Amino acid sequence: MAPLARARPPGRLLRALLLAAAVPGMLCFTELFFIKEPQDVTVTRKEPVVLDCQARGEVPIKVTWLKNGAKVPENKRTQVLSNGSLYIAEVEGRRGEPSHEGYYQCLAMNKYGAILSQKAHLLLSTISAFEVQPLPADVQEGGVARFACKISSNPPAAITWELNRTTLPVTTDRITVLPTGVLQIYDVSQRDAGNYRCVASTVTHRRKSTEASLTVTPVVEPASFHTPTIVAGPQNITTSLHQTVVLECVAMGNPRPLISWSRLDHKSIDVFNTRVLGNGNLLIAHIRLQHAGAYVCRATTPGTRNFTVAVATVTVLAPPSFVEWPESLTRPRAGTARFVCQAEGIPSPKMSWLKNGRKMHSNGRIKMYNSKLVINQIIPEDDAIYQCMAENSQGSILSRARLTVVMSEDRPSAPYNVHAETVSSSAILLAWERPLYNADKVIAYSVHYTKAEGLNNEEYQVVIGNDTTHFIIDDLEPASNYTFYIVAYMPVGASQMSDHVTQSTLEDVPLRPPEISLTSRSPTDILVSWLPIPARYRRGQVVLYRLAFRLSTESAVRVLELPGTTLDHLLEGLEPDSVYLVRVTAATRVGLGESSVWTSHRTPKATSLKAPKSPELHLEPLNCTTISVKWQQETEDLVSVQGYKLFYKEEGQQEHGPVFLETSELFYTLSGLDPRRKYHVRLLAFNNVEDGYQADQTVSTPGCVSVRDRAAPPPPPPHHLYAKANSSASIFLHWRRPAFSTAQTINYTIRCNPVGLQNASLVLYLQTSETHMLVQDLEPNTRYEFAVRLHVDQLSSPWSPVVYHSTLPEAPAGPPVGVKVMLIEDHTALVSWKPPEGPETVVRRYTILYTSRKAWTAGEWQVLHREGAITMALLENLVAGDVYTVKIAASNEVGEGPFSNSVELAVLPKEASVANQRPKRLDSADAKVYSGYYHLDQKSMTGITVGVGIALACILICALILICRSKARKSSASKTTQNGTQPSPCPSASLASGNEGGKNVDGDAENEEPLMSNSFIDAKGGTDLIINSYGPITKNKSKKKWLFFQDANKMKVEQPQRRFTQAVCFYQPGTTVLIGGEDSPVSPAQAPSFPGSFDVIPDTEHSANSEGSRETGDSGRFSHESGDEIHLSSAVSTSPLPSSSSSGSDSAGNPMVNRGDGPTVATEGEQTSCPTVHPASTTLHQEGNN
């Protein structure tokens, strides 16, 4: 890709011409530059191509061409035109010829120097086979169908789709074809069924994919509510400037979700270059750097807060562009020239320098520091054109500047007869003679020296006075070769360099001991191996190694001396399961150096013959705080090895570990270490029986290079560190590289730890070469702190400012518990619940779904949302006679948890009985649905069982009493008739009807019938026996009617032969008495009118039980069927009626009034004596319902 055009620094040529006129001895020149440079081009085979190159400057100008850095030979098909362009008549015209593909550059040269053009990439038009083929799909009507294909080609191929070999339109209301090769079909119908294939076309090629069938199945039943799901989310994309990018997003759900886009960094989306393609795909045209970032696709259920998201990162690559250009310079001989050049781009460009079109390398005089070129002790040969080249994967760009060297006629001649003598391992004596010409004008001498071996060696300079001709350089390294030269200075300039002389320093004892490694091959041996000492610490040739070892329990040391070429030794005949201490010392011809620290190693047990052998361990410092640990296990042990254990410690400190590693892991990085420290690492493999043989090794971390160690300052830290929670266990970090350029690879270290961490060993250090990283395996809902530093060329920057960020909480793993629904009004219900179980669960919102059975069959749900702190909601506008289903789910910013079990609520019609209208609560935790019924819990079943048992006991007691009293009734029947006018000790009982409003019911004269105030129904036995003052009254069993609704005359006719016996009354004040028969209970709305005012007697026992069940009774909940309620139709008052309120009628319908002068007289004029009999319980059950 051709780089963007940049404006040249104005006035450069004018400044150079003015400077040339002002400086004596400088020649005028015309600047050499390009007016046309070659560009990237793609051609087909056997076609001609022209690569442009036109240069301007002082003639003559010669143009030559380079391909991949080598000169392009001219022949019949490859020629350089008169204007400098390259003409290729036939690109790869014949088989077997070299390919014309590659990177081309033109080199323009005149007498002042040469310049090199940017690189142009020549490519042949090609197309590959399909990397992704469309796959068959089976989609329901109304759903979404998606096909994909992928192919690589140059230039990029145009993608079209065919249905049954007929081309589809690119974009319609339902069909979208993305440039990436994806076909999307919404609202699929039967006419969309068929065979689809992808067609890729370029100018010279056309490929067709295999066919994939689309099967459309009809919808059998209405779709239920379904939360949105992203079935094809956006993918991470890396693109170049000015390209077009499409981020795909296909979502499904019921109802159909809405798709929206946003940026993760909350920046606004560029509306001028961005539009939505199809039904939710984001298209970014003419992409620029500001379009880079993370984009979020959000699918939302309409009218709700139910949503799901998918994130993709767009990375925009940019070719290099200059931030600072080098300027042309004019310097005298022996002076110093500094060129500065800075460029930016993505990825970061690699910087290099060219001299007259040839790449430069650092040497003693010429140094390249990041983006700077420094030339010391300028000589006439340095007069040239210099170019700064910035290059990355997107292209290259060059900027030029010229160095003009000014020559002086009065300069002195160079010092001569330079010679050097070695003084010690770190000092060399240098001596010379004064210049032969203008020696009296010399004011100072400059001594220059550098290492003779290696590249990019630093050149050092020492300036001394003109009164001496010898000098001792005493900061040299032992056993090293150095090159020296001397320059004489006078006021008008410097002399030429003297002849170079090379001299070596003497050897010295090694500065560091070797790093040793210990392993065992059997229980009685230790293999001691060590690495050669680096040359800078060896300080000479190693001629001897001294190996010392001893048992940890003994003080006697055994010593072995080994040749300097030996790097390992096997110690045999040792004791099994014993700890040995080993150390090694290296020696040069001068003497022994520093010994290594005692390294411990335990020999294996004698019984450990099947234990895994020790792995082959290798340690390497990556930087001043990081060590790379690598190992290799023997092949025969790989089957039995189940993992590895790693231990490490700093010398003299406590050991850390073990760190358990998988069998497949053969690499580990120890981070967060201290610089200039010695660390001991041991590693062993283990199986399911025992630990294997361990390997021990020591390594030293280097020092972090500071300003005192190098002339170049440390790099600045990364800036603009940005953190964003990606999930409950990961956080995405992004930072920017500081503004400096370097050809070296840059690595970054990320420091991560929870806020307030006390244990420094738990700090996490991560390595990367990118400017972003996804930190994973974090704790949910935890606040972390992050910092980043960079490493380049053994230089480490300070830590960046700390950034704090918290991970997201985990999505609720379970549903809300204890879901209860209770009808509180005719059309309103209250639903309550408890948060999901789990101490770490964070709930931001609850979603309540409810629907009637009719709506449920149509797949329609009503949705309510409540904040996370609220655990109840009202369900309003419910329809009487319907059964509603309710379920609840909890959610937070991460996602939505599962829904609870469905709970049903029956909303009964208004005409239902009072008991049926009582609020019915259902508990999702205690009631599970089986065949449409709710099973009661254990506590409710226990209460029902106890109640039934008590009722049966009462029935049995009453039956026994009736049997026992039957003889008494028969014997006293005549006696009772004769003495019928005796006063009755029973107070008159008033009947009451429990109506809905709880008010007294006044009887109408029309509907009144004679009712004996002394008569009552004995309900304790569960029978319909009616007893008056004459005894039991036998009913006609063929007719099941309430006595209250029978006419008095009719009753006499139906009972002409009534036998009266001595009545036994079980009524006592405070006892609940039920009037009723075997028929269904009469609802309060149908309660008959009785003569007289009847006090309402509340069912105190049942009410107490209901309230207790509602609050504390049983398990605090109840669940029952609609027919399980106990209905109280009427009751007898527990207190006598006052004379003013007791009224009735005789058999003829004439009213009779109780004057209050005695108890009410029965119909037949007989009175009943009531012995005091107390029942065991007043628990009532309606016969036939349980």
Side-chain angles (χ1 to χ4, degrees):
M1 175 176 292
L4 296 177
R6 306 284 297 195
R8 295 185 180 88
R12 179 184 300 177
L13 180 59
L14 178 60
R15 289 196 302 270
L17 293 176
L18 293 176
L19 183 60
V23 178
M26 179 177 176
L27 298 177
C28 296
F29 70 95
T30 302
E31 187 175 9
L32 184 64
F33 60 93
F34 288 109
I35 60 173
K36 277 189 178 181
E37 295 185 74
Q39 305 292 330
D40 294 345
V41 62
T42 301
V43 296
T44 59
R45 295 181 185 274
K46 298 185 179 181
E47 281 190 355
V49 64
V50 176
L51 299 176
D52 292 327
C53 179
Q54 295 183 29
R56 290 293 181 268
E58 186 172 333
V59 294
I61 299 175
K62 182 182 179 182
V63 176
T64 57
W65 280 86
L66 306 176
K67 176 191 171 185
N68 299 330
K71 186 177 179 180
V72 176
E74 293 191 46
N75 50 44
K76 294 181 180 180
R77 288 189 300 274
T78 304
Q79 298 177 3
V80 178
L81 303 180
S82 59
N83 63 354
S85 300
L86 180 66
Y87 173 72
I88 303 176
E90 190 176 355
V91 178
E92 288 193 13
R94 298 178 182 177
R95 293 184 178 274
E97 291 186 351
S99 171
H100 287 105
E101 286 187 307
Y103 291 92
Y104 288 82
Q105 291 175 285
C106 65
L107 180 69
M109 181 184 304
N110 65 6
K111 64 178 182 179
Y112 297 111
I115 55 175
L116 192 65
S117 72
Q118 67 183 18
K119 291 182 179 180
H121 196 188
L122 174 62
L123 288 171
L124 291 177
S125 177
T126 57
I127 189 169
S128 67
F130 278 97
E131 301 172 13
V132 176
Q133 298 272 11
L135 300 175
D138 191 345
V139 182
Q140 285 190 345
E141 282 187 306
V144 180
R146 179 181 181 274
F147 295 99
C149 70
K150 184 179 179 182
I151 194 169
S152 297
S153 64
N154 185 43
I159 303 295
T160 57
W161 285 86
E162 294 181 352
L163 170 60
N164 297 329
R165 308 294 175 91
T166 302
T167 303
L168 287 172
V170 175
T171 301
T172 65
D173 293 338
R174 298 187 311 110
I175 299 175
T176 303
V177 178
L178 303 184
T180 55
V182 173
L183 172 65
Q184 300 171 352
I185 307 175
Y186 284 82
D187 296 329
V188 173
S189 61
Q190 290 293 340
R191 69 177 183 271
D192 297 319
N195 296 321
Y196 290 81
R197 71 178 180 182
C198 169
V199 180
S201 305
T202 63
V203 178
T204 57
H205 300 86
R206 181 180 175 88
R207 293 283 174 90
K208 297 179 181 180
S209 70
T210 58
E211 291 187 340
S213 62
L214 173 61
T215 304
V216 181
T217 58
V219 179
V220 179
E221 57 184 15
S224 61
F225 176 83
H226 182 63
T227 56
T229 303
I230 296 178
V231 296
Q235 303 296 319
N236 294 337
I237 295 178
T238 300
T239 185
S240 303
L241 280 178
H242 315 304
Q243 300 297 312
T244 297
V245 168
V246 176
L247 297 175
E248 182 184 10
C249 190
V250 178
M252 299 180 64
N254 187 35
R256 181 175 171 180
L258 300 176
I259 295 178
S260 60
W261 287 89
S262 62
R263 287 179 61 113
L264 193 61
D265 55 7
H266 305 294
K267 294 181 180 179
S268 60
I269 295 181
D270 182 10
V271 296
F272 298 102
N273 296 289
T274 304
R275 63 184 178 92
V276 175
L277 183 63
N279 290 272
N281 309 292
L282 185 68
L283 183 143
I284 307 175
H286 196 70
I287 199 164
R288 291 177 290 178
L289 289 176
Q290 57 264 37
H291 292 136
Y295 288 79
V296 181
C297 168
R298 174 170 173 158
T300 308
T301 301
T304 70
R305 294 184 181 178
N306 288 330
F307 67 90
T308 183
V309 298
V311 183
T313 301
V314 175
T315 302
V316 181
L317 303 181
S321 59
F322 284 115
V323 178
E324 186 174 2
W325 296 262
E327 297 287 345
S328 295
L329 301 174
T330 300
R331 292 291 184 267
R333 182 171 181 170
T336 300
R338 290 179 175 87
F339 295 100
V340 180
C341 179
Q342 290 190 9
E344 61 183 8
I346 302 174
S348 298
K350 179 181 178 181
M351 307 296 296
S352 59
W353 288 89
L354 307 176
K355 177 183 177 182
N356 289 335
R358 296 180 178 274
K359 191 172 183 179
M360 300 180 64
H361 299 281
S362 296
N363 56 34
R365 294 188 309 110
I366 300 174
K367 296 297 176 185
M368 287 178 281
Y369 303 105
N370 297 330
S371 60
K372 294 181 180 179
L373 172 64
V374 180
I375 304 175
N376 295 309
Q377 292 300 314
I378 294 174
I379 60 176
E381 289 78 7
D382 295 330
D383 192 317
I385 298 176
Y386 295 85
Q387 286 180 287
C388 168
M389 183 170 67
E391 184 179 12
N392 65 6
S393 60
Q394 300 301 296
S396 62
I397 189 172
L398 296 97
S399 181
R400 67 196 175 280
R402 183 178 175 188
L403 173 60
T404 303
V405 180
V406 179
M407 308 297 292
S408 175
E409 297 179 356
D410 295 333
R411 58 187 176 89
S413 59
Y416 68 101
N417 195 18
V418 179
H419 58 279
E421 295 182 4
T422 302
V423 177
S424 66
S425 61
S426 61
I428 291 178
L429 172 63
L430 190 66
W432 63 91
E433 298 289 341
R434 295 181 183 274
L436 296 176
Y437 178 72
N438 285 338
D440 55 340
K441 296 181 180 180
V442 172
I443 58 175
Y445 293 100
S446 175
V447 178
H448 301 258
Y449 61 97
T450 183
K451 276 191 174 182
E453 296 92 359
L455 297 175
N456 297 331
N457 291 322
E458 190 75 25
E459 182 179 277
Y460 301 93
Q461 179 180 3
V462 179
V463 179
I464 59 177
N466 62 352
D467 56 346
T468 182
T469 57
H470 62 273
F471 186 77
I472 296 178
I473 299 99
D474 57 0
D475 57 351
L476 307 178
E477 296 181 6
S480 300
N481 292 328
Y482 286 88
T483 299
F484 304 88
Y485 68 90
I486 302 172
V487 175
Y489 283 87
M490 58 180 295
V492 296
S495 69
Q496 295 183 358
M497 295 182 296
S498 67
D499 294 334
H500 290 64
V501 61
T502 301
Q503 186 68 18
S504 299
T505 54
L506 298 177
E507 291 186 356
D508 205 339
V509 296
L511 187 60
R512 284 189 180 180
E515 307 286 355
I516 67 173
S517 176
L518 306 177
T519 57
S520 290
R521 298 180 178 179
S522 71
T524 58
D525 64 31
I526 296 177
L527 177 63
V528 184
S529 58
W530 54 90
L531 297 174
I533 303 175
R536 59 179 300 183
Y537 303 116
R538 190 167 55 241
R539 304 209 289 187
Q541 183 181 357
V542 176
V543 296
L544 178 136
Y545 287 103
R546 178 173 292 177
L547 174 63
F549 66 98
R550 65 181 177 88
L551 274 169
S552 61
T553 56
E554 299 178 357
S555 58
V557 178
R558 284 174 279 181
V559 178
L560 298 175
E561 290 191 352
L562 306 172
T565 56
T566 305
L567 295 178
D568 59 69
H569 184 75
L570 182 65
L571 299 177
E572 298 178 303
L574 306 179
E575 298 180 7
D577 195 19
S578 300
V579 177
Y580 281 86
L581 301 179
V582 182
R583 70 179 181 185
V584 177
T585 308
T588 62
R589 297 183 181 87
V590 179
L592 290 169
E594 179 185 359
S595 299
S596 64
V597 297
W598 288 106
T599 303
S600 62
H601 180 81
R602 179 181 291 275
T603 54
K605 297 180 181 179
T607 57
S608 302
L609 298 178
K610 295 184 179 181
K613 303 300 181 183
S614 59
E616 183 180 344
L617 185 62
H618 178 68
L619 305 180
E620 180 182 359
L622 296 179
N623 52 52
C624 59
T625 60
T626 308
I627 294 176
S628 168
V629 183
K630 298 179 182 179
W631 63 91
Q632 192 68 38
Q633 188 70 32
E634 293 185 8
T635 307
E636 62 219 22
D637 290 333
L638 290 177
V639 178
S640 62
V641 171
Q642 293 187 341
Y644 298 95
K645 295 180 182 179
L646 176 68
F647 304 82
Y648 68 98
K649 70 172 183 177
E650 183 183 343
E651 180 182 350
Q653 301 296 325
Q654 187 176 2
E655 187 175 59
H656 300 277
V659 178
F660 289 93
L661 303 169
E662 298 293 335
T663 308
S664 58
E665 296 183 73
L666 299 175
F667 176 82
Y668 189 76
T669 302
L670 297 176
S671 302
L673 309 178
D674 293 330
R676 301 184 187 277
R677 294 290 187 272
K678 189 178 291 292
Y679 285 88
H680 178 205
V681 179
R682 63 187 183 97
L683 179 73
L684 57 90
F686 64 91
N687 55 24
N688 55 359
V689 178
E690 59 184 337
D691 290 344
Y693 298 0
Q694 71 181 26
D696 296 81
Q697 190 171 343
T698 58
V699 67
S700 298
T701 54
C704 293
V705 181
S706 63
V707 180
R708 293 173 297 178
D709 299 325
R710 291 195 54 157
H719 56 88
H720 290 84
L721 178 59
Y722 169 78
K724 180 68 176 180
N726 206 45
S727 67
S728 59
S730 61
I731 291 180
F732 179 77
L733 295 179
H734 183 272
W735 58 90
R736 291 185 183 177
R737 173 183 166 179
F740 75 97
S741 300
T742 178
Q744 302 294 330
T745 302
I746 295 179
N747 294 312
Y748 298 92
T749 298
I750 297 96
R751 187 185 70 204
C752 167
N753 61 272
V755 175
L757 182 67
Q758 301 296 328
N759 189 354
S761 63
L762 299 180
V763 178
L764 182 64
Y765 294 90
L766 304 172
Q767 307 286 331
T768 183
S769 59
E770 304 292 337
T771 56
H772 55 82
M773 182 175 227
L774 184 65
V775 184
Q776 298 177 323
D777 299 329
L778 303 179
E779 293 295 327
N781 202 24
T782 304
R783 187 172 176 82
Y784 285 86
E785 64 177 38
F786 301 92
V788 183
R789 70 189 304 184
L790 66 83
H791 311 279
V792 56
D793 194 22
Q794 296 298 321
L795 289 172
S796 297
S797 73
W799 289 104
S800 68
V802 175
V803 170
Y804 299 92
H805 203 77
S806 300
T807 53
L808 297 176
E810 287 184 323
V817 298
V819 179
K820 302 176 183 178
V821 187
M822 182 175 65
L823 194 67
I824 59 175
E825 293 182 3
D826 291 342
H827 303 287
T828 305
L830 175 68
V831 56
S832 61
W833 61 89
K834 295 180 181 179
E837 297 178 349
E840 300 297 332
T841 303
V842 177
V843 179
R844 304 297 185 200
R845 187 183 62 174
Y846 291 100
T847 301
I848 304 103
L849 300 182
Y850 69 99
T851 182
S852 62
R853 285 186 177 176
K854 298 177 182 178
W856 179 80
T857 57
E860 298 176 355
W861 291 81
Q862 299 187 52
V863 184
L864 292 178
H865 293 290
R866 292 295 180 267
E867 299 299 328
I870 301 174
T871 57
M872 62 178 60
L874 289 177
L875 309 181
E876 298 178 323
N877 302 323
L878 304 182
V879 179
D882 249 338
V883 177
Y884 284 83
T885 300
V886 183
K887 58 182 180 179
I888 306 175
S891 63
N892 53 30
E893 53 266 48
V894 177
E896 190 173 58
F899 278 91
S900 64
N901 293 331
S902 298
V903 177
E904 291 191 349
L905 171 69
V907 183
L908 300 181
K910 291 184 178 180
E911 59 270 12
S913 63
V914 174
N916 286 343
Q917 286 185 356
R918 296 176 63 192
K920 182 180 292 185
R921 294 188 298 182
L922 298 179
D923 193 338
S924 67
D926 300 325
K928 297 183 178 179
V929 181
Y930 294 94
S931 303
Y933 295 93
Y934 289 96
H935 287 240
L936 300 175
D937 61 4
Q938 185 176 0
K939 294 184 179 179
S940 299
M941 290 297 297
T942 303
I944 292 174
T945 304
V946 174
V948 171
I950 294 174
L952 293 176
C954 292
I955 293 172
L956 182 61
I957 292 172
C958 291
L960 292 176
I961 293 174
L962 290 175
I963 293 172
C964 294
R965 297 293 183 180
S966 62
K967 293 182 180 181
R969 293 193 187 103
K970 293 178 181 180
S971 61
S972 60
S974 60
K975 193 175 184 177
T976 305
T977 305
Q978 296 173 1
N979 302 328
T981 59
Q982 294 178 1
S984 174
C986 296
S988 61
S990 176
L991 301 177
S993 175
N995 54 25
E996 247 176 359
K999 297 180 181 180
N1000 294 336
V1001 180
D1002 297 332
D1004 295 313
E1006 299 178 9
N1007 300 325
E1008 289 177 352
E1009 67 178 18
L1011 179 66
M1012 296 152 302
S1013 61
N1014 297 61
S1015 301
F1016 62 91
I1017 297 176
D1018 182 7
K1020 294 181 174 62
T1023 68
D1024 58 351
L1025 180 64
I1026 301 177
I1027 304 172
N1028 63 8
S1029 59
Y1030 298 100
I1033 298 175
T1034 305
K1035 290 183 58 179
N1036 186 1
K1037 296 183 180 179
S1038 63
K1039 295 181 179 180
K1040 297 181 180 180
K1041 295 184 179 179
W1042 290 85
L1043 295 178
F1044 303 139
F1045 302 103
Q1046 295 178 356
D1047 184 52
N1049 296 327
K1050 187 177 180 181
M1051 190 165 59
K1052 289 181 180 181
V1053 174
E1054 291 175 352
Q1055 300 176 1
Q1057 298 179 353
R1058 178 179 299 174
R1059 296 180 60 188
F1060 297 97
T1061 60
Q1062 178 68 32
V1064 180
C1065 180
F1066 298 107
Y1067 169 73
Q1068 283 294 323
T1071 303
T1072 303
V1073 181
L1074 176 67
I1075 299 175
E1078 294 179 356
D1079 295 334
S1080 301
V1082 180
S1083 66
Q1086 299 170 347
S1089 299
F1090 299 112
S1093 302
F1094 299 98
D1095 295 337
V1096 177
I1097 307 302
D1099 184 3
T1100 57
E1101 179 182 350
H1102 188 271
S1103 299
N1105 288 340
S1106 298
E1107 294 300 326
S1109 177
R1110 194 174 298 171
E1111 296 178 5
T1112 59
D1114 295 337
S1115 62
R1117 304 174 291 273
F1118 64 90
S1119 176
H1120 46 71
E1121 300 298 319
S1122 61
D1124 292 344
E1125 299 276 5
I1126 300 175
H1127 307 284
L1128 184 61
S1129 177
S1130 60
V1132 179
S1133 174
T1134 59
S1135 60
L1137 285 171
S1139 59
S1140 61
S1141 62
S1142 177
S1143 63
S1145 63
D1146 58 10
S1147 61
N1150 300 323
M1152 71 176 181
V1153 179
N1154 186 358
R1155 301 294 182 182
D1157 54 354
T1160 304
V1161 180
T1163 306
E1164 299 295 335
E1166 296 182 18
Q1167 299 175 357
T1168 304
S1169 63
C1170 299
T1172 59
V1173 180
H1174 297 275
S1177 173
T1178 59
T1179 304
L1180 308 178
H1181 294 268
Q1182 181 179 346
E1183 186 176 357
N1185 285 343
N1186 290 331

